[in-house]
Amino acid sequence: MTVLIVGAFLFTFSLDWATDATPVQHLYYLPIILAARRFGMRGGVCVAVSAIVAYHVANPHLLSWRYEEADLVQMTLFLAVGLITAKLTLDANRLRRLATTDDLTGLHNLRSFEARLATLVRVSRATRTPLALLVLDLDRLKSLNDEYGHLTGAEAVRATGQIIGQRIPPGAVACRYGGDEFVIAIPRCTPFLAHRIADGVCRAVYDSAPVLAGRAFASGSLSISVGGACLSFDRDAPSGTWPALDAEAGESLFRAADAALYRAKARGRNQVCVA
């Protein structure tokens, strides 16, 4: 992108130098827009200021500081295009994050996670590498709500989501898909590694000493149960033994992990069970 921005800028400057034509000078908008989209406000303003400088160099009569109305309009437009493009890009990125993010925990929301999971299944199928899914549930949230109020319960969910976001490995995707229910997809992950990751998250939640709704809680106040399952596209297995569709594979994997979660809860909670 940087090479494209520099190339567009130099090309426009050379044409401006050779022609001194207003239509050519409008081409400065292209590198300004590209820089604002790629680098934000700072990039848009820097290239806009550079365009103003190049505009003066290519048109030496402007160095006398005697501007016509058209010159002032042109330079103002350079800055305006940079600022407006950067602002629109910032707003679009913010809306995109809001559309894909759970507002309580900052993790992916369900719609975003489903799309990412389908992609991970497709990549695992193509590379014949394992994909693990962990389903997590906050233990005894109802008791916490009943004793301390729903704000405390909501902050417990938020704290758990933050711990999950900090503990998942690079490339993994975490989502809150229900009130206190989370799911994590981990590419290139064997059952052994999935169990180790799940155990690390489980311990981190249990060892935390959160402050919820202004009240300090001791470590051990929060705990989660985790169920996991792995989908293995074995290199030696015939492809006919694999789920036919990516969505079908993702759903099968989730059902297996969810069943493992119920087994973990049946064992007394604060447990990890990987199928």
Side-chain angles (χ1 to χ4, degrees):
M1 179 63 80
T2 302
V3 173
L4 180 61
I5 292 170
V6 173
F9 187 90
L10 293 177
F11 176 73
T12 303
F13 173 71
S14 63
L15 287 180
D16 189 17
W17 179 278
T19 63
D20 188 22
T22 299
V24 169
Q25 293 158 359
H26 291 332
L27 293 177
Y28 283 114
Y29 299 149
L30 177 59
I32 294 172
I33 291 172
L34 292 175
R37 287 181 57 85
R38 177 63 179 84
F39 301 107
M41 193 71 69
R42 182 176 299 178
V45 171
C46 286
V47 176
V49 171
S50 299
I52 292 174
V53 173
Y55 182 56
H56 281 74
V57 173
N59 301 275
H61 68 277
L62 297 176
L63 298 177
S64 64
W65 308 102
R66 296 177 181 177
Y67 300 123
E68 296 180 2
E69 182 179 352
D71 298 322
L72 294 173
V73 170
Q74 187 68 276
M75 290 184 288
T76 301
L77 285 175
F78 288 157
L79 286 172
V81 167
L83 291 171
I84 292 172
T85 302
K87 181 63 167 60
L88 291 175
T89 301
L90 180 64
D91 291 344
N93 290 337
R94 184 181 294 113
L95 289 173
R96 190 177 300 111
R97 285 194 298 271
L98 289 173
T100 60
T101 303
D102 171 55
D103 56 357
L104 182 62
T105 63
L107 303 177
H108 287 265
N109 60 22
L110 182 57
R111 178 178 297 179
S112 174
F113 178 80
E114 287 176 339
R116 295 292 295 274
L117 178 60
T119 299
L120 291 177
V121 171
R122 186 163 55 251
V123 172
S124 293
R125 186 191 300 274
T127 58
R128 297 195 180 185
T129 53
L131 174 66
L133 205 68
L134 302 178
V135 178
L136 305 83
D137 196 337
L138 191 60
D139 295 330
R140 301 184 177 89
L141 178 62
K142 184 178 185 304
S143 298
L144 196 65
N145 286 333
D146 292 343
E147 185 171 355
Y148 299 104
H150 285 81
L151 179 58
T152 298
E155 294 199 2
V157 173
R158 186 202 305 273
T160 302
Q162 291 172 345
I163 293 172
I164 291 171
Q166 294 164 1
R167 299 288 303 190
I168 61 175
V173 183
C175 160
R176 182 173 77 103
Y177 69 92
D180 62 334
E181 299 160 317
F182 301 87
V183 60
I184 307 170
I186 312 171
R188 301 179 181 273
C189 185
T190 62
F192 174 80
L193 181 57
H195 195 289
R196 190 170 70 179
I197 293 170
D199 189 60
V201 176
C202 194
R203 289 178 181 272
V205 172
Y206 188 80
D207 291 341
S208 66
V211 176
L212 308 175
R215 181 191 298 268
F217 286 78
S219 60
S221 299
L222 298 181
S223 68
I224 58 173
S225 298
V226 187
C230 290
L231 179 63
S232 180
F233 294 101
D234 195 332
R235 293 178 182 275
D236 299 324
S239 60
T241 63
W242 305 336
L245 302 175
D246 295 336
E248 176 186 314
E251 291 173 4
S252 298
L253 187 58
F254 180 85
R255 285 194 296 270
D258 195 47
L261 170 62
Y262 279 96
R263 291 196 293 274
K265 284 188 171 294
R267 293 175 182 176
R269 297 183 174 87
N270 193 31
Q271 301 280 332
V272 174
C273 179
V274 176

